[in-house]
Amino acid sequence: MALRILVGCKRVVDYAVKVRVKPDHTGVVTQGVKHSLNPFDEIAVEEAVRLKEKKQAEEIIAVSCGPAACQETLRTALAMGADRAIHVEVPDAEYATLQPLHVAKILAKLTERTKANLILVGKQAIDDDSNQTAQIAAGLLDWPQATFVSKVELQGNDSANIIREVDGGLEHIKVKLPAVISADLRLNEPRYATLPNIMKAKKKPLEKLTAKDLGVDLAPRIKILAVEEPPVREAGAKVEDVDQLLAKLKELGRI
Amino acid sequence: MHTLRRFGSTRQLTNLAMRKVSTLVLAEHQGGKLAPATLSAIAASKKIGGEVTLLVAGKDVAGVATEAGKADGIKKLLVADDASLEGLLPERIVPVVLASQRQFNFTHIVGPSTAFAKNVLPRVAAKLDVSPISDVLDIKSENIFVRPIYAGNAIQTLLANDAVKILTVRASSFDAVATGSNIVPEAAAKADGVNQDTSTYVKSEISKSERPELSSAKKVISGGRGMKSGNNFKMLYDLADKIDAAVGASRAAVDAGFVPNDLQVGQTGKIVAPELYVAIGISGAIQHLAGMKDSKTIVAINKDPEAPIFQVADVGLVADLFKAVPEILQKIDGYRSK
C-alpha cells in the first residue's frame, strides 16, 4: 500500500514566549504574541518528509484546524516538504472550546477524503498540553496507535516497527498500517525551511474546508470557567557557600 | 435531525442528574508491581465522591491484584488477567475497559497521568464519544476540574459536559491512599471481538535502577547541561545514594546523551513534586520548571547568578558545580539529621 500521510500541524504560542493570563481570567493573551508550528508537530512533519525522501511515502498532506492564521503554519509545513495542505477553518468563538476530540474527528474524516493511511501528529500541543489527539483519532478509526514514538521503521509496506518512550525506558512494538503515530521529542531533528523552499511553498495547493463540510460537530464539550495565574513561589535566598546550603537544608528538615 | 439531537442530549443530562456517581480507576503497574501513582488516582477518585472500582488489567497480574486489593477507598477490584494483554497494548486494554464500563455504567473513568494511562484513556474516550481531561490537578466537584495549560504557566478550571468524564490525574497533586484493606478480586467482564492482529508487543528496555522511582521519590537530584558529560553524573548518583534520592535531568542533558530519556523532568517528561528538588547545572527554562516547580523545597546550584532557576529556588548557591558537589558529598554526613 502506497503510504499517504496526514500530518497534524497546530499553530501555538511560540515555546519561548512567557504567556500572560488575561486580566478577566477568560484565557491567556494570544493577540500580538508570536505563534509558530507546535514543536512536536514539526517533528511529525520532519518524519513524514524523511519517509518520502526514502521513497516510502507517496504524498504528505499537512492539516491545521483553527483561525485563518493557521495558513502560515501550513506554509511552514509545506516549506519543510509537505506536498499540499488542508486548512479546516474554525472561527475564534468555536476555537476557544475546540478540543482534541473535535480535531481527531476532523482528521478521521479527512482520511476518507484523502485516502490517507498514516496519521502523524506530535505527542502533545504545548498550549493545551492534552496529549490526546493521536489516541482519539486511532480509536475513532479503529486503527492501531503508536504514541510517544522515538523511532519508526517501515517493514515492507504494511507494517512499522516502533520504539516508544515510556516511563522507565523504551518499548518496542509493531503496528500494522493503516495506523496513527504520535511523535516524541527524540524522533528526529526537524530541518529548517530554506528561503527557496519557503518561496516554493507559496505555490503549493492549500485547500480550505470547514468542519461542516466534513460533517463534524464542534459543539463544546467543556465550559472554561476560569484561567488563572499559577501560585507564585515565594522568593528564596541565596547562600554563600556549601556549609550554609547544608545548614539551611538541615534547618528545613530536608536532609 | 438537529431537534432530535438536542432532545437526545437533554435526556442524557437528565439521566446524568439521576445517575449515581461511580468511578472506575485504571491501575498502573510495571514489572509485576502496582505503581504508587495508582494510589493517588484512587485518592482523586474519592474526591469525586461515589463508589470507586479498581481495574487491574495485564498478563500475569495476580501479584499486582493482591497488592491492589489492599488499597483503602476501593469498593470493588476487577481483574483482567490474560496473555493477550502482555505489553498493555491500548488496542487490547481499551476493549477490557469498555466491557467494564458496559457492565457498571460508571460516571467517571480515571487513571494517573502516566505513559500507560495517557496512551489508553483518550482511546477509551473516542469509543464513548466524550472529551477526556488530561493531567487534572484538583477536583472541585463531579464535573468541575482544574488542570494546567501552557507548561503550567496558566491554570484552567473547566466544567465538563460529557455524560462520562474521563480523567488522567497528576499523581503528585493527590496524596496516595493508605493500604490496609483486603478487597477480594473479581474477574472483569470479558472483552469481545478484539482484533489482535493490528499491533504486537515486542519487548521493553527498562532502565534498571536501585534508586527510588523518579515520579514518586521524596527527594530528587537533577543535572543539566552544566554537567558537561554523562560520566560527571556519577557525582549526582553518589549524592542521591547518600540521601536516598532519585536522579533526574533536564532535556538538554538528555539530548546531549548524558542520561536516558526516562530521567527527563519537565513539560514533556516526568512531572515531580518531591519534598526536596536539587537542580544542578540547570538554567531553568519554562519547560523544565513545568515539571518541578511544585516541589516543596527547591535548591539550585549554578555558576550563572542570572539563571532563571534562582527565581524559583528556595535556596540558591552561585558556584561551580564541579567544586560544590564534591564538597557537598564530603560534608553532607556531618549535617544529616540522625
Side-chain angles (χ1 to χ4, degrees):
Chain A
M1 124 178 29
L3 208 53
R4 301 167 72 86
I5 308 174
L6 212 54
V7 54
C9 301
K10 187 174 186 182
R11 175 179 179 264
V12 298
V13 170
D14 190 85
Y15 74 94
V17 171
K18 173 96 173 71
V19 294
R20 282 182 305 122
V21 170
K22 285 187 193 165
D24 66 357
H25 299 293
T26 54
V28 304
V29 178
T30 53
Q31 277 215 326
V33 171
K34 187 184 176 199
H35 282 69
S36 39
L37 176 56
N38 177 42
F40 290 97
D41 297 347
E42 242 182 315
I43 296 169
V45 173
E46 175 66 32
E47 197 64 21
V49 174
R50 288 185 189 189
L51 289 172
K52 193 173 174 193
E53 285 169 347
K54 282 189 273 186
K55 309 249 183 283
Q56 292 177 321
E58 180 188 23
E59 190 182 28
I60 303 167
I61 305 142
V63 183
S64 191
C65 308
C70 291
Q71 292 179 17
E72 296 159 27
T73 310
L74 287 170
R75 292 291 171 200
T76 307
L78 292 169
M80 285 175 73
D83 297 294
R84 63 186 173 101
I86 299 175
H87 174 217
V88 180
E89 182 149 21
V90 180
D92 284 330
E94 281 177 294
Y95 191 60
T97 53
L98 191 78
Q99 290 193 276
L101 177 69
H102 303 117
V103 175
K105 284 185 177 183
I106 290 170
L107 288 173
K109 286 284 183 188
L110 283 174
T111 59
E112 293 164 23
R113 197 183 175 97
T114 59
K115 309 259 183 303
N117 44 20
L118 179 67
I119 296 181
L120 246 170
V121 291
K123 81 161 174 180
Q124 80 193 57
I126 60 164
D127 51 2
D128 64 28
D129 282 333
S130 288
N131 193 327
Q132 299 170 352
T133 304
Q135 296 89 314
I136 299 175
L140 294 171
L141 290 160
D142 248 322
W143 290 3
Q145 69 193 48
T147 53
F148 329 145
V149 168
S150 57
K151 193 171 182 202
V152 176
E153 203 180 73
L154 287 181
Q155 281 290 95
N157 54 11
D158 68 345
S159 74
N161 291 338
I162 300 283
I163 300 180
R164 304 178 58 226
E165 299 202 357
V166 295
D167 298 334
L170 300 173
E171 179 182 283
H172 297 241
I173 60 168
K174 192 170 181 156
V175 293
K176 281 238 171 87
L177 300 179
V180 181
I181 292 175
S182 82
D184 213 322
L185 272 179
R186 278 162 280 273
L187 180 57
N188 59 49
E189 189 81 45
R191 70 193 63 193
Y192 290 102
T194 60
L195 190 58
N197 285 342
I198 293 171
M199 300 310 287
K200 270 186 232 159
K202 290 185 177 165
K203 296 201 179 88
K204 289 186 180 175
L206 191 155
E207 184 183 2
K208 275 187 266 184
L209 293 172
T210 64
K212 214 172 161 190
D213 295 333
L214 298 165
V216 175
D217 179 11
L218 301 184
R221 303 303 187 99
I222 60 156
K223 186 175 176 204
I224 299 167
L225 300 178
V227 174
E228 278 148 320
E229 299 270 359
V232 183
R233 281 191 82 92
E234 272 186 49
K238 282 194 182 132
V239 292
E240 293 299 318
D241 56 33
V242 164
D243 285 295
Q244 280 187 23
L245 177 92
L246 291 169
K248 182 86 187 159
L249 288 180
K250 185 184 166 86
E251 182 194 317
L252 292 167
R254 297 298 181 213
I255 54 172
Chain B
M1 179 66 201
H2 265 111
T3 342
L4 263 179
R5 194 181 295 157
R6 210 169 298 142
F7 178 63
S9 68
T10 319
R11 203 170 45 189
Q12 241 173 28
L13 281 177
T14 329
N15 278 345
L16 182 65
M18 293 188 304
R19 238 166 103 197
K20 233 174 90 192
V21 170
S22 63
T23 302
L24 178 68
V25 176
L26 185 58
E28 169 87 21
H29 58 90
Q30 207 177 48
K33 280 199 148 63
L34 187 75
T38 309
L39 302 176
S40 297
I42 295 170
S45 304
K46 281 174 71 182
K47 221 171 161 183
I48 297 168
E51 282 180 6
V52 179
T53 300
L54 184 64
L55 171 65
V56 175
K59 182 193 171 197
D60 298 333
V61 288
V64 177
T66 308
E67 236 184 303
K70 296 188 180 128
D72 288 352
I74 60 168
K75 189 87 181 177
K76 199 191 285 284
L77 172 61
L78 303 174
V79 180
D81 196 335
D82 197 283
S84 70
L85 300 177
E86 187 189 14
L88 306 173
L89 292 165
E91 295 77 13
R92 304 184 194 187
I93 296 283
V94 170
V96 173
V97 178
L98 292 171
S100 295
Q101 173 63 18
R102 271 195 299 275
Q103 189 183 0
F104 295 106
N105 194 23
F106 298 103
T107 54
H108 295 70
I109 303 177
V110 175
S113 299
T114 54
F116 164 63
K118 284 196 276 194
N119 193 26
V120 168
L121 289 182
R123 191 174 173 110
V124 173
K127 295 295 184 192
L128 299 175
D129 190 26
V130 304
S131 186
I133 298 154
S134 297
D135 212 17
V136 169
L137 300 177
D138 197 7
I139 291 163
K140 297 286 185 196
S141 74
E142 61 182 83
N143 55 2
I144 299 181
F145 308 103
V146 179
R147 61 177 305 265
I149 51 175
Y150 290 93
N153 285 293
I155 307 292
Q156 184 185 62
T157 304
L158 62 90
L159 170 77
N161 292 321
D162 284 317
V164 180
K165 277 80 173 165
I166 298 191
L167 320 171
T168 58
V169 298
R170 186 176 285 190
S172 60
S173 299
F174 299 91
D175 288 331
V177 293
T179 50
S181 298
N182 191 12
I183 309 290
V184 182
E186 312 168 22
K190 279 259 180 265
D192 39 32
V194 182
N195 182 350
Q196 296 188 8
D197 295 339
T198 57
S199 61
T200 316
Y201 169 76
V202 180
K203 63 174 179 179
S204 296
E205 293 172 46
I206 299 300
S207 336
K208 283 261 180 290
S209 171
E210 298 297 310
R211 285 174 208 98
E213 197 266 321
L214 183 54
S215 38
S216 56
K218 289 201 162 52
K219 294 169 188 158
V220 174
I221 298 175
S222 281
R225 197 197 308 269
M227 294 301 296
K228 292 205 170 78
S229 82
N231 290 340
N232 291 332
F233 263 76
K234 183 171 182 307
M235 289 194 295
L236 303 196
Y237 291 128
D238 290 345
L239 186 53
D241 290 342
K242 266 192 189 292
I243 62 168
D244 196 27
V247 171
S250 69
R251 179 185 167 186
V254 176
D255 283 351
F258 301 170
V259 289
N261 64 280
D262 57 302
L263 296 193
Q264 187 181 325
V265 172
Q267 183 184 16
T268 66
K270 301 254 178 16
I271 312 278
V272 301
E275 287 169 8
L276 176 66
Y277 188 88
V278 186
I280 300 176
I282 292 176
S283 65
I286 296 172
Q287 292 77 12
H288 185 73
L289 300 183
M292 46 63 82
K293 67 182 175 184
D294 293 327
S295 305
K296 300 231 170 44
T297 301
I298 298 175
V299 174
I301 301 173
N302 203 301
K303 63 182 176 191
D304 174 11
E306 304 302 320
I309 190 78
F310 287 119
Q311 290 164 20
V312 300
D314 301 283
V315 187
L317 175 63
V318 180
D320 179 352
L321 70 93
F322 293 103
K323 289 206 184 79
V325 178
E327 196 182 336
I328 293 173
L329 268 170
Q330 197 189 9
K331 291 182 172 171
I332 193 163
D333 287 333
Y335 284 91
R336 292 204 67 189
S337 316
K338 291 289 170 294

